[in-house]
Amino acid sequence: MATLTKKDLAVHISEEMGFSVRESKRLVDAFFQSVKEFLKEGEDVKIVRFGTFSKIERASKFKEGTKETVGFHPSRWLKGRLNGGKKVLQD
């Protein structure tokens, strides 16, 4: 299984959009920083046609109390595209 890194994303954006790799890296970093800030504030982050990131509190396995983690729920559109696409979910 291949791993997609932030650098890979920056290079792809650079190639697709004509930005320098440095500018693309700044864009990717700013995007992820924004997502982290919204999640810290308890806000969900919904990306249309991709999915929703949410902060989730779970019971800690080793200590009393809870721990925070991030959950991801893919959109119906993305699920459809990954499963062969449905006519209703096409672009």
Side-chain angles (χ1 to χ4, degrees):
M1 172 174 24
T3 301
L4 179 66
T5 65
K6 290 194 317 183
K7 182 179 179 181
D8 295 333
L9 285 172
V11 169
H12 183 75
I13 290 169
S14 173
E15 292 169 354
E16 289 290 317
M17 305 298 294
F19 301 149
S20 70
V21 174
R22 176 177 271 175
E23 289 171 322
S24 299
K25 184 180 180 312
R26 288 183 58 215
L27 177 71
V28 169
D29 288 340
F31 169 77
F32 283 110
Q33 184 62 37
S34 296
V35 169
K36 285 190 280 187
E37 288 174 12
F38 280 106
L39 290 171
K40 281 183 180 179
E41 293 173 9
E43 299 289 329
D44 289 349
V45 177
K46 181 179 181 178
I47 303 171
V48 176
R49 289 190 167 188
F50 188 73
T52 303
F53 294 92
S54 305
K55 183 169 79 170
I56 299 172
E57 291 188 11
R58 295 198 172 160
S60 177
K61 293 181 181 179
F62 301 106
K63 299 187 262 181
E64 288 187 31
T66 61
K67 68 176 188 171
E68 294 177 341
T69 189
V70 176
F72 176 73
H73 182 64
S75 69
R76 287 180 57 210
W77 184 87
L78 180 59
K79 285 184 197 177
R81 296 296 293 206
L82 293 174
N83 292 313
K86 296 179 182 173
K87 192 170 188 168
V88 172
L89 300 176
Q90 290 180 352
D91 309 277

